[in-house]
Amino acid sequence: MTTQMTAPTSVSEDPWDGFERGAWTEHIDVRDFIQRNYTPYEGDASFLSGPTDKTLRLWDTLEKNYLSEERRKRVLDVDTDTPADVDAFGPGYISDDDNVIVGLQTDSPLKRAMMPFGGWRMVETAIKEAGKEVNPDVKKIFTQYRKTHNDAVFDIYTPRIRAARSSHIITGLPDAYGRGRIIGDYRRVALYGVDALIEAKQVDKDRYADQPFSEHWARYREEHAEQIKALKKLKSMAASYGFDISGPAKNAQEAVQWTYFAYLGSVKSQDGAAMSIGRLSAFFDIYFERDLKAGVITEQDAQEIIDALVVKLRIVRFLRTEAYDQIFSGDPYWATWSDAGFSEDGRTLVTKTSFRLLQTLRNLGPAPEPNITIFWDENLPAGYKEFCASISIETSSIQYESDEQIRAHWGDDAAIACCVSPMRVGKQMQFFGARVNAAKALLYAINGGRDEMTGKQIVDEYEPIKGDGPLDFDEVWAKYEDMLDWVVGTYVEALNIIHYCHDRYAYEAMEMALHDSDIVRTMGCGIAGLSIVADSLAAIKYAKVVPVRDETGLVVDYEVEGDFPTYGNDDDRADEIAATVVHTIMDKIRQIPLYRDAIPTQSVLTITSNVVYGRATGAFPCGHKAGTPFAPGANPQNGVDTHGMVASMLSVGKLDYNDALDGISLTNTITPSGLGRDKGEQVTNLVGILDSGFIPED
């Protein structure tokens, strides 16, 4: 869509004064604004400033009055009377020092809001687990008068989906909470102001006003109406804090504040599993550079603004159940902030604000949020690479991804949603799909659809492998492929149902208002247990594996004689099996029609839920014990990779990214002492490891 944008007429009041004009002044195009105006930085960290006294006082107040108490109670407080929305709560502040970047999800720090549109059952459970009483009037509304997303999903679910869900061959489906994996282009509020965005959405809404009725036409107009309402609520929320965001931001502090208000509106109204904030540093840096040159701020002021924003990102909270926390091994929400990499024209996207973001980990101390994700390339400026390595060694709080792969597929204004899912900001969203237990599917293939933990028949009309002799690789593989037809088909059917219902009953109007009207949608499928499948199939192929059956004939364990190759040691025999599994599952996903013509993608990602998957899964031919955690993501099995970190990285590198465009995760642990004798040596060696892990393709 190309909607005409109107620049301010008075030079003295022009928020765009000093910016190079271009396509971004003709229509909404934040990327064009960035490309024309940002200043690459190839120096070192010597310019950075430490925390101001105000920053330290604010953080100290948070720690003493709120964070320490929350750690003791798990949930500090819950508002049980007000269903969450963009403007549902009045203004809230941390303290008198909280005046640099303002705005809380509710009216008090760490107080959680209920979001019942996703499902009442989870809300009620979470309220009670927090030691609070449910408001009977709110419960009545969402159980008698207002259908929720969760209600709709379970009205439609088929018996086989329910069976797969209860047996944990599919786990973590977003059928009772927000789906996440949507990154609003929050920068648009700062660059254009809300009024221009509303005007653009109204034009787009009416673009097809004279079309004949269709379901697509009706949904398009209704969704745009909801987006416009959300933008108006955003103005109202900001006004409660004393800010008029109807027009563009006029300086750096306003640019950060306006952008944060847009993000705050999203986390006030949705509890997505991943609420990433996008790619902000180069955008913010344009405003900082202009204000620094004009002498209206100092470097200390710039750092204080970024520190204040990060403080706010660290205290976002959602009302979750204890069971949800178990799935995700804690209470994450993945406010992923993507940074660095290169522009398509070859310039680095590292700016001084890229350094300022990392400096928050020193000024405020380490923290998992925001999930700082660096788009790494061996050609990044040396000073920045060394600073990244130094901060990683000090804090263990940075994630790294391949800039070359992301840029080649998703462009230079892409960002990560959650942990590894890339998308073009404001032009693309994902139908998040949790993941299927690819390892458990192998056990179902061997047992003919019976669950190895309960003995229940989950999948009908599949014959088990019979006999007491060694397993035959070709027979097992053929049955595994057949079982994957059922598992993948059931999984994708569930995802289509979930996202159809989510759009109807828990639509993310605020986030989608900060997207183009015509966007790319992907279906983010995922698999768990890859290394266990690869090693088990390798054991069957290269060693002698004899099944051990219980009194009912169910295979519950395996006896193995002989050696076999294992994934994660740069051994093509095992690594090619892993790559074949990933390709096979992705190929089956591609053959199934998807809701709203979404593009199918796949991730190899279980950074947290690998523990839950392992608990629900039996023993394997590779020796993996029943009920024990899977390795995370695309990692080799725990303790099996005996050839070192680089070998495991090379094994993961053999997985075809085209079969896992939603991302491939490898988690490694390195102690600083293992990198070298002193800090300088440690930094040099970590940079070398990262360069080796992200070698450009030929």
Side-chain angles (χ1 to χ4, degrees):
M1 298 297 178
T2 56
T3 302
Q4 187 73 26
M5 309 305 297
T6 303
T9 55
S10 172
V11 174
S12 61
E13 298 178 357
D14 186 355
W16 298 344
D17 185 37
F19 297 152
E20 181 183 330
R21 293 335 198 231
W24 65 273
T25 63
E26 303 296 325
H27 57 269
I28 296 172
D29 190 344
V30 178
R31 179 190 176 274
D32 182 67
F33 167 75
I34 293 170
Q35 290 295 312
R36 291 178 182 275
N37 290 283
Y38 86 97
T39 304
Y41 179 67
E42 300 195 4
D44 60 21
S46 59
F47 72 94
L48 288 168
S49 175
T52 63
D53 290 341
K54 179 183 288 187
T55 296
L56 293 176
R57 287 196 305 270
L58 185 70
W59 191 246
D60 185 60
T61 299
L62 261 175
E63 174 59 34
K64 288 181 177 178
N65 297 346
Y66 300 100
L67 292 169
S68 60
E69 183 69 9
E70 182 187 56
R71 285 192 290 270
R72 188 180 67 82
K73 298 175 62 176
R74 177 179 170 268
V75 174
L76 182 65
D77 195 9
V78 180
D79 186 297
T80 60
D81 300 319
T82 310
D85 203 351
V86 175
D87 60 351
F89 294 92
Y93 300 89
I94 298 168
S95 67
D96 291 341
D97 287 312
D98 187 9
N99 58 11
V100 178
I101 299 298
V102 303
L104 300 177
Q105 281 176 288
T106 58
D107 54 5
S108 180
L110 306 185
K111 180 192 286 185
R112 306 184 190 217
M114 56 179 172
M115 298 187 179
F117 294 98
W120 176 256
R121 179 177 54 83
M122 178 175 277
V123 168
E124 182 170 15
T125 299
I127 289 173
K128 291 178 178 178
E129 288 175 349
K132 300 289 184 177
E133 295 294 325
V134 171
N135 183 318
D137 293 331
V138 177
K139 179 176 181 178
K140 186 175 182 178
I141 291 170
F142 287 95
T143 55
Q144 295 186 31
Y145 302 124
R146 177 55 160 86
K147 190 170 187 176
T148 68
H149 159 61
N150 184 245
D151 293 333
V153 167
F154 278 85
D155 281 348
I156 303 174
Y157 268 174
T158 62
R160 73 175 190 170
I161 294 174
R162 287 174 177 264
R165 191 179 185 275
S166 64
S167 70
H168 305 290
I169 198 164
I170 303 173
T171 300
L173 292 170
D175 52 19
Y177 60 91
R179 55 190 165 192
R181 304 283 181 90
I182 302 172
I183 309 174
D185 191 354
Y186 306 112
R187 306 165 302 186
R188 294 183 181 190
V189 173
L191 184 57
Y192 297 109
V194 172
D195 283 355
L197 301 181
I198 291 174
E199 180 184 356
K201 284 295 179 182
Q202 188 63 54
V203 169
D204 288 344
K205 177 188 175 188
D206 292 336
R207 193 176 301 275
Y208 303 112
D210 297 328
Q211 293 290 318
F213 178 84
S214 67
E215 183 178 350
H216 170 78
W217 175 89
R219 179 173 56 193
Y220 179 91
R221 286 186 56 79
E222 183 181 24
E223 287 181 350
H224 277 70
E226 291 301 311
Q227 293 171 23
I228 292 168
K229 291 175 187 176
L231 288 167
K232 291 178 178 178
K233 291 177 182 179
L234 184 65
K235 282 181 63 176
S236 174
M237 183 266 286
S240 74
Y241 284 95
F243 290 93
D244 179 5
I245 61 172
S246 58
K250 298 182 291 297
N251 55 50
Q253 186 166 3
E254 286 191 356
V256 176
Q257 181 68 71
W258 272 220
T259 301
Y260 173 62
F261 274 144
Y263 181 74
L264 182 61
S266 296
V267 297
K268 277 176 171 284
S269 55
Q270 287 292 335
D271 62 342
M275 298 292 287
S276 301
I277 197 166
R279 196 164 185 170
L280 304 178
S281 293
F283 177 77
F284 287 158
D285 199 75
I286 295 168
Y287 289 87
F288 282 127
E289 284 293 301
R290 185 178 67 171
D291 285 5
L292 286 164
K293 288 177 182 177
V296 297
I297 64 170
T298 65
E299 177 56 39
Q300 190 173 63
D301 295 327
Q303 187 64 54
E304 184 179 63
I305 292 169
I306 295 298
D307 287 347
L309 173 60
V310 168
V311 166
K312 291 302 192 302
L313 298 181
R314 290 188 180 189
I315 60 172
V316 169
R317 297 291 187 271
F318 294 114
L319 182 62
R320 308 290 201 193
T321 64
E322 292 176 3
Y324 179 98
D325 288 358
Q326 290 176 5
I327 291 175
F328 293 100
S329 298
D331 189 20
Y333 74 97
W334 289 290
T336 305
W337 183 324
S338 303
D339 207 345
F342 282 89
S343 292
E344 291 173 4
D345 63 11
R347 293 178 296 161
T348 178
L349 277 161
V350 172
T351 64
K352 284 188 174 181
T353 300
S354 302
F355 282 81
R356 294 178 185 120
L357 174 62
L358 296 181
Q359 180 73 352
T360 65
L361 293 168
R362 283 179 171 167
N363 289 356
L364 302 172
E369 303 289 2
N371 176 22
I372 298 174
T373 298
I374 304 303
F375 289 178
W376 189 270
D377 186 288
E378 65 176 343
N379 296 312
L380 287 173
Y384 182 69
K385 290 166 65 176
E386 291 169 2
F387 191 57
C388 285
S390 181
I391 295 292
S392 283
I393 291 167
E394 293 173 22
T395 68
S396 299
S397 298
I398 306 177
Q399 175 176 283
Y400 297 94
E401 312 242 358
S402 169
D403 180 62
E404 185 202 38
Q405 292 282 18
I406 292 169
R407 180 165 27 90
H409 289 84
W410 312 107
D412 60 9
D413 196 38
I416 297 296
C418 189
C419 305
V420 298
S421 304
M423 59 190 66
R424 297 176 188 267
V425 178
K427 300 179 179 301
Q428 183 179 338
M429 61 88 70
Q430 181 191 108
F431 293 141
F432 167 56
R435 51 203 57 87
V436 67
N437 192 333
K440 194 176 183 75
L442 178 63
L443 303 184
Y444 274 34
I446 293 170
N447 279 309
R450 286 181 70 192
D451 190 271
E452 74 286 353
M453 300 293 278
T454 66
K456 292 181 180 179
Q457 189 72 41
I458 302 299
V459 187
D460 295 324
E461 300 179 2
Y462 281 78
E463 285 292 319
I465 290 178
K466 299 176 181 179
D468 297 323
L471 295 173
D472 177 75
F473 176 82
D474 291 334
E475 181 184 13
V476 170
W477 178 257
K479 287 187 175 293
Y480 185 47
E481 275 219 74
D482 286 345
M483 185 57 63
L484 286 176
D485 287 334
W486 186 94
V487 172
V488 170
T490 303
Y491 175 42
V492 175
E493 182 179 59
L495 297 184
N496 282 335
I497 291 169
I498 287 167
H499 293 292
Y500 165 80
C501 294
H502 218 298
D503 279 349
R504 292 193 66 189
Y505 297 101
Y507 180 65
E508 300 90 342
M510 186 68 259
E511 292 167 273
M512 298 311 298
L514 300 172
H515 280 73
D516 291 354
S517 291
D518 295 322
I519 63 169
V520 172
R521 295 177 176 86
T522 62
M523 185 71 79
C525 305
I527 60 172
L530 175 63
S531 58
I532 299 174
V533 176
D535 289 355
S536 293
L537 290 169
I540 294 168
K541 185 172 185 178
Y542 294 103
K544 178 181 177 182
V545 178
V546 178
V548 177
R549 303 178 185 274
D550 67 10
E551 62 277 5
T552 69
L554 183 72
V555 177
V556 294
D557 207 348
Y558 304 86
E559 295 178 351
V560 183
E561 294 182 18
D563 297 325
F564 56 93
T566 51
Y567 167 76
N569 295 295
D570 194 23
D571 188 318
D572 287 344
R573 295 174 297 170
D575 297 346
E576 288 174 4
I577 291 175
T580 299
V581 170
V582 173
H583 176 76
T584 299
I585 294 175
M586 188 64 234
D587 193 51
K588 293 180 184 299
I589 294 169
R590 290 188 180 107
Q591 297 175 35
I592 304 173
L594 299 178
Y595 172 62
R596 293 186 87 163
D597 298 321
I599 298 170
T601 62
Q602 180 175 220
S603 66
V604 187
L605 167 69
T606 46
I607 286 179
T608 53
S609 53
N610 50 295
V611 176
V612 175
Y613 274 106
R615 191 180 302 140
T617 307
F620 284 88
C622 63
H624 188 91
K625 300 299 182 184
T628 58
F630 289 0
N635 277 51
Q637 286 196 77
N638 298 325
V640 172
D641 50 330
T642 58
H643 288 60
M645 180 176 170
V646 173
S648 69
M649 296 170 81
L650 292 171
S651 288
V652 172
K654 296 173 190 175
L655 304 179
D656 190 343
Y657 184 57
N658 291 302
D659 289 328
L661 286 173
D662 194 39
I664 302 169
S665 170
L666 173 65
T667 305
N668 276 309
T669 301
I670 312 172
T671 60
S673 61
L675 288 168
R677 292 163 294 183
D678 55 44
K679 184 68 175 293
E681 187 176 353
Q682 292 167 5
V683 167
T684 298
N685 287 336
L686 181 54
V687 168
I689 290 172
L690 290 168
D691 284 345
S692 298
F694 296 113
I695 298 172
E697 293 181 341
D698 294 332

